[in-house]
Amino acid sequence: MKETRRQLGDLLVAKGAITKEQLNEALEEQRAKGEPLGRVLVKNGLVTENQLLDILASQLGLDFVDLAEFKIDLSAVALVPERIAKKNLVLPIGFEDGKLLVAVANPTDVFVFDDLRMMTGFEIKAVVSTKDDILEAIQRYSKADDVVEQTVEEIGAELGEETEEGVGQAAETIDDAPIVKLVNLIINQAVTDRASDIHIEPQEKDVRIRYRIDGVLHEVMRPPKRVQAGLASRIKIMADMNIAETRVPQDGRIGLMIGGKTVDVRVTTLPTVYGEKTVMRILEKESIRIDLEELGFLPDAVKRYRSSFSKPYGAIMVCGPSGCGKTTTLYAALNKLNSIEKKLITVEDPVEYKIAGLMQIQVNPKAGLTFASALRSILRNDPDIVMIGEIRDRETAMIAIESALTGHLVLATLHTNDAPQALTRLTEMGVEPFLSASALACVVAQRLARKLCPSCKEAYTPEQEVLEKCGFPFEKGEKLTFYRAKGCGKCKKTGYKGRIGVYEVMLVSEEIERMSVDRASSDEIGKQSQKEGMLTLRQDGFEKVRMGVTSLEEILRVIA
């Protein structure tokens, strides 16, 4: 034991936490009072409890985790009852390589690990944390489990073993308090975890709830089947949807204030064989970023994009799949264009961000207010700049193109895989190539890639065979330093934190206009654009890999 204390003291000295003189004084006090060396050091203020546990964890080959910075997985917390967690000072905080990640205050108590293994059915991977942090986290995160249990118990007491439809009707008539708490918990936790979407998915025996964080889905909890209809009914009430209709898809919207922020939640339901699936898209109005460089544009791409919306007329299209940040890219341009001298009108579904100075229109198909009908009215209101949330049909496309040809600056989104395909897509919609080619000034295609966590990203030298296989440009003999995801408490062990845009910006030159009129393929137009200086999505992504912003694996994941 004496040798262990010396080893602990030597490690603290080696790490610069204390001096040799401070160690000797602490050892003398330890011998005089018979207290553990660590307690003496902490009591005298020579080291913090976190520093001490970090050293102890390294002695045992374990990681130290600061729970205040770790994103705790609620589905892991729910595996161990609060009473047992408090008694043993343990807290399941996530999953790693198929094992349950458990924070412990006493990593030498192997019997606790055996009990947890039997209780949860998972192999245990221990990490070390302080007693106070564990107790505080248990108090904070066990509430989720309590809310779920309370919901089930109270619904059961009220309705017994009634059908799921009965649960849904009760949620409407009695404004079921436990269901309200559970829905509030789900939404609040999603906002705290920076989730963009909440997926509530009925399964055969329970309900799976997942958050999309940085573009990737994570399971957070699995409440029992009995709360399914109540959850769907409560969300429908909040979104002003028809609670009695469960056979057809529905759309709605919820406005909330969470943590002092205005949050809009776009709700959609979809009937499945196990019940209604609900997806909630979270839109934080304060989260829009104005600066194009912050969005991820490289200097040359920024220059090309700005040159297009600096013109008084023409069309600018932003392309990509749903959820890739197209609207944010357009709003970044609108914020640059917004001035007292210009009239800006937008038509969107939905209006995602409200900005002073813009006339914003929310489409309402039930009332006959579609993109096309709104655009016809907009053009009679003398606008200088028009933004169209999405071009979905020939009529909307024709009005947008004609507006760009008659002196308006038109910004719009379009669903294509890359920039050159925008011209062929408009042709497929029924717009004559000579019209679309003349109107289009610029096409931007984009994706969102996860950014590496700055706290734990790991440097390495890539193998040339790998670079050749994926087409990464490099000089023979060039020594490259890439970074890859490792995982830490700050990024919830994913290795990534936040997202950045990957862009290709195609300016429609006279040559590209001629090729479009001649009905050249998108591949041919793409090759010409690259000759004129356009970086493809993959090339732009590779540049961000060189910069250490993201990993090669992430770029290959999001860009084919």
Side-chain angles (χ1 to χ4, degrees):
M1 186 65 68
K2 189 176 180 181
E3 181 60 30
T4 303
R5 288 174 186 146
R6 285 204 188 104
Q7 187 181 8
L8 172 61
D10 292 340
L11 283 168
L12 288 167
V13 172
K15 286 186 172 286
I18 60 174
T19 65
K20 189 69 175 176
E21 291 74 20
Q22 288 172 328
L23 172 60
N24 291 333
E25 290 174 6
L27 285 170
E28 287 180 11
E29 183 177 341
Q30 179 264 323
R31 284 191 290 268
K33 296 183 178 180
E35 294 181 344
L37 176 61
R39 187 177 299 173
V40 172
L41 292 168
V42 173
K43 185 179 69 175
N44 292 341
L46 298 174
V47 296
T48 64
E49 190 176 357
N50 282 9
Q51 287 176 311
L52 183 64
L53 282 175
D54 194 10
I55 294 293
L56 290 172
S58 66
Q59 283 183 295
L60 296 169
L62 303 176
D63 291 329
F64 174 78
V65 169
D66 185 350
L67 294 182
E69 296 180 345
F70 192 92
K71 290 291 184 182
I72 294 176
D73 191 330
L74 290 177
S75 61
V77 174
L79 292 173
V80 176
E82 181 180 356
R83 174 180 56 81
I84 294 175
K86 282 183 176 178
K87 179 183 176 183
N88 296 285
L89 290 176
V90 298
L91 181 69
I93 58 175
F95 301 91
E96 188 174 309
D97 300 327
K99 296 181 180 180
L100 182 64
L101 201 63
V102 180
V104 298
N106 181 10
T108 60
D109 190 350
V110 294
F111 297 110
V112 171
F113 300 149
D114 291 336
D115 292 342
L116 291 174
R117 193 178 298 110
M118 293 288 291
M119 184 186 306
T120 64
F122 285 92
E123 288 296 316
I124 305 300
K125 179 176 180 180
V127 294
V128 180
S129 190
T130 67
K131 174 184 174 181
D132 290 343
D133 281 356
I134 290 176
L135 287 173
E136 183 184 347
I138 290 172
Q139 186 70 24
R140 184 167 68 251
Y141 288 99
S142 291
K143 289 179 182 177
D145 201 30
D146 292 343
V147 169
V148 176
E149 288 182 9
Q150 183 186 3
T151 301
V152 179
E153 289 172 3
E154 295 195 18
I155 289 177
E158 182 73 27
L159 301 170
E161 296 297 325
E162 293 185 20
T163 62
E164 289 178 11
E165 288 77 9
V167 177
Q169 291 165 7
E172 179 184 15
T173 56
I174 66 175
D175 193 23
D176 196 7
I179 283 289
V180 172
K181 290 178 184 176
L182 182 57
V183 171
N184 291 344
L185 173 78
I186 290 168
I187 297 174
N188 282 327
Q189 189 63 43
V191 172
T192 301
D193 288 351
R194 302 179 296 106
S196 60
D197 301 87
I198 304 169
H199 292 251
I200 301 176
E201 302 163 326
Q203 306 294 303
E204 185 177 4
K205 297 180 179 179
D206 55 19
V207 182
R208 181 172 67 180
I209 298 177
R210 297 191 290 174
Y211 295 161
R212 187 178 294 280
I213 302 171
D214 293 336
V216 178
L217 285 169
H218 301 269
E219 184 175 315
V220 292
M221 66 176 80
R222 274 187 180 259
K225 189 75 171 176
R226 271 206 282 178
V227 307
Q228 174 181 315
L231 272 175
S233 298
R234 173 59 188 169
I235 293 168
K236 282 183 176 180
I237 291 168
M238 294 173 71
D240 196 24
M241 296 157 69
N242 185 353
I243 194 172
E245 181 58 77
T246 61
R247 299 164 297 174
V248 296
Q250 294 189 64
D251 296 297
R253 196 167 180 178
I254 305 169
L256 299 168
M257 281 291 292
I258 298 177
K261 295 181 180 179
T262 303
V263 177
D264 273 359
V265 183
R266 189 169 65 188
V267 182
T268 61
T269 64
L270 185 69
T272 73
V273 292
Y274 293 127
E276 283 186 289
K277 170 188 166 102
T278 305
V279 176
M280 294 187 277
R281 168 68 59 87
I282 299 171
L283 305 169
E284 289 188 50
K285 295 177 182 177
E286 288 85 357
S287 69
I288 185 169
R289 294 183 293 183
I290 309 302
D291 193 53
L292 291 170
E293 287 83 0
E294 282 188 19
L295 293 177
F297 279 92
L298 295 175
D300 185 61
V302 166
K303 186 177 178 181
R304 293 163 69 88
Y305 185 37
R306 279 185 175 149
S307 70
S308 64
F309 63 74
S310 298
K311 297 176 182 178
Y313 57 87
I316 299 170
M317 301 283 179
V318 180
C319 308
S322 297
C324 73
K326 299 186 296 294
T327 304
T328 303
T329 299
L330 287 181
Y331 267 104
L334 285 176
N335 275 289
K336 298 290 184 185
L337 296 167
N338 192 7
S339 68
I340 196 70
E341 296 86 10
K342 296 176 182 176
K343 183 170 183 178
L344 286 74
I345 305 180
T346 75
V347 53
E348 306 168 66
D349 183 23
V351 175
E352 295 190 12
Y353 306 107
K354 293 177 183 176
I355 296 180
L358 271 63
M359 305 293 293
Q360 297 174 278
I361 300 170
Q362 166 82 48
V363 301
N364 186 355
K366 292 179 182 177
L369 183 62
T370 63
F371 278 109
S373 62
L375 277 171
R376 285 194 294 269
S377 298
I378 283 172
L379 295 175
R380 292 193 290 270
N381 276 266
D382 188 31
D384 296 296
I385 300 167
V386 177
M387 195 272 267
I388 307 168
E390 184 181 344
I391 292 180
R392 299 175 179 172
D393 51 47
R394 181 182 181 277
E395 187 177 7
T396 306
M398 282 299 301
I399 296 172
I401 295 300
E402 288 171 359
S403 301
L405 289 170
T406 54
H408 301 91
L409 182 62
V410 178
L411 292 81
T413 72
L414 189 67
H415 284 285
T416 65
N417 287 326
D418 59 30
Q421 286 183 16
L423 288 162
T424 54
R425 175 73 179 126
L426 289 170
T427 302
E428 290 166 2
M429 282 185 170
V431 180
E432 289 294 335
F434 71 89
L435 290 175
S436 57
S438 299
L440 275 176
C442 174
V443 182
V444 179
Q446 72 177 80
R447 299 290 188 277
L448 287 178
R450 291 179 295 172
K451 293 194 293 184
L452 286 164
C453 174
S455 299
C456 67
K457 65 180 183 180
E458 184 178 59
Y460 74 102
T461 301
E463 296 180 3
Q464 292 196 357
E465 294 80 4
V466 174
L467 299 180
E468 290 171 357
K469 189 175 180 180
C470 67
F472 193 98
F474 67 98
E475 299 291 334
K476 192 171 182 180
E478 181 183 4
K479 291 185 178 180
L480 295 170
T481 300
F482 285 5
Y483 292 86
R484 57 189 167 204
K486 184 179 179 183
C488 67
K490 292 183 179 180
C491 60
K492 204 175 179 180
K493 292 292 183 180
T494 62
Y496 297 95
K497 192 172 183 181
R499 289 194 286 178
I500 192 168
V502 179
Y503 302 91
E504 64 180 27
V505 183
M506 182 184 80
L507 299 178
V508 181
S509 63
E510 290 184 7
E511 180 61 24
I512 290 175
E513 186 177 336
R514 183 192 62 77
M515 293 175 71
S516 179
V517 172
D518 293 340
R519 297 182 183 267
S521 68
S522 59
D523 287 342
E524 293 172 321
I525 293 173
K527 289 176 183 176
Q528 178 61 31
S529 300
Q530 290 179 59
K531 288 180 183 177
E532 295 175 4
M534 180 190 81
L535 289 181
T536 65
L537 283 168
R538 180 169 278 205
Q539 289 168 343
D540 187 86
F542 286 162
E543 283 300 310
K544 291 177 172 68
V545 173
R546 282 182 181 271
M547 294 161 60
V549 176
T550 187
S551 67
L552 182 61
E553 293 78 12
E554 177 66 6
I555 293 301
L556 297 178
R557 182 185 72 85
V558 298
I559 302 169

